Amino acid sequence: VAVYTGTLLLLLVLVLTFFNARKKLPFFPLLSASTWLQAHIYLGWLCCFVFLLHTSGRLPSGRLELILAGVFFAVAASGAFGLWLSRWLPPRLVRSGESLVFERIPALRHRLADEALGIVRRAETELQSSTLPDFHLRVLHGYFLRVPPLIAPLIGDDPEFHRVRQELESTRRYLNTSEENLARSLADLLEAKRNLDVQYAGQRLLKLWLFLHIPLTYALLVFIAAHVWLVIHFSHRL
């Protein structure tokens, strides 16, 4: 039974690992990525079940086998987390606007900072007012260039955004009509910055998950290879 379940487990792990290779070869007609993803999910759960059969539901006693079991649990846990992430993230990213290329988001953030700077310069040169320029220097400049925190933008509880927006609302009480129009433009830029932060935080979280899940998978293959070699080596000596 151990030989059969171990062989099946090895084949399942190899098939699951091939999913990452399939994503790197999109030009081959090997079914759609969504079909592969569904197969990856179902085979992943099957792999966990076969692992329990292979170990009889007990922790192994050997040092290598303990490490192998720990790496397997880490891969399975990170896979389950990725599955939850794939269900939890998309609605939040959709609410923040169109999907953006991750590598372009820093440039878009700097563009918003330049637009905000242009608005306050208009207030300074055309309206001869220092209220908005002072507010920009004190609060807005750093906020527009800030890299968002890891989770806060995704759960709608970014205290820095709420603080900046509240301070802008408080500042608007001291503005005249012309300055008020510029302040509304700054408020629109704040919302755009918040949407960028959601996109950036969401895509960054996915990339961090991949940097965890994929190396763990390859580490699992290395330990499986060592485990198989030991099994074959000592079975020949018995």
Side-chain angles (χ1 to χ4, degrees), residues 104-177:
R104 291 189 58 222
I105 294 179
L108 295 174
R109 188 190 306 129
H110 281 275
R111 184 183 301 175
L112 289 179
D114 291 339
E115 291 182 19
L117 180 60
I119 290 174
V120 298
R121 281 179 175 171
R122 284 180 54 195
E124 188 175 27
T125 57
E126 298 177 10
L127 305 179
Q128 302 296 314
S129 171
S130 62
T131 305
L132 287 178
D134 289 344
F135 177 71
H136 177 267
L137 182 64
R138 181 171 53 87
V139 177
L140 287 184
H141 177 71
Y143 176 76
F144 275 108
L145 296 179
R146 182 195 69 146
V147 176
L150 187 63
I151 298 294
L154 298 171
I155 59 178
D157 188 26
D158 187 349
E160 187 67 12
F161 167 76
H162 294 298
R163 182 186 69 82
V164 173
R165 186 176 61 176
Q166 184 61 41
E167 288 197 32
L168 179 60
E169 290 298 320
S170 299
T171 303
R172 290 171 68 171
R173 294 180 296 177
Y174 306 104
L175 304 178
N176 57 37
T177 303

Side-chain angles (χ1 to χ4, degrees), residues 24-43:
K24 297 181 183 299
L25 302 172
F27 44 84
F28 285 151
L30 300 174
L31 302 177
S32 65
S34 60
T35 302
W36 274 94
L37 178 59
Q38 288 301 314
H40 189 83
I41 293 171
Y42 296 137
L43 289 177

Side-chain angles (χ1 to χ4, degrees), residues 4-14 47 50-51 54 72:
Y4 292 146
T5 56
T7 303
L8 177 58
L9 191 58
L10 174 61
L11 292 176
L12 286 172
V13 171
L14 290 175
C47 195
V50 175
F51 178 82
H54 183 64
F72 182 88

Side-chain angles (χ1 to χ4, degrees), residues 218-232:
Y218 289 125
L220 178 63
L221 289 175
V222 171
F223 284 110
I224 287 176
H227 175 71
V228 170
W229 182 85
L230 287 174
V231 169
I232 293 175

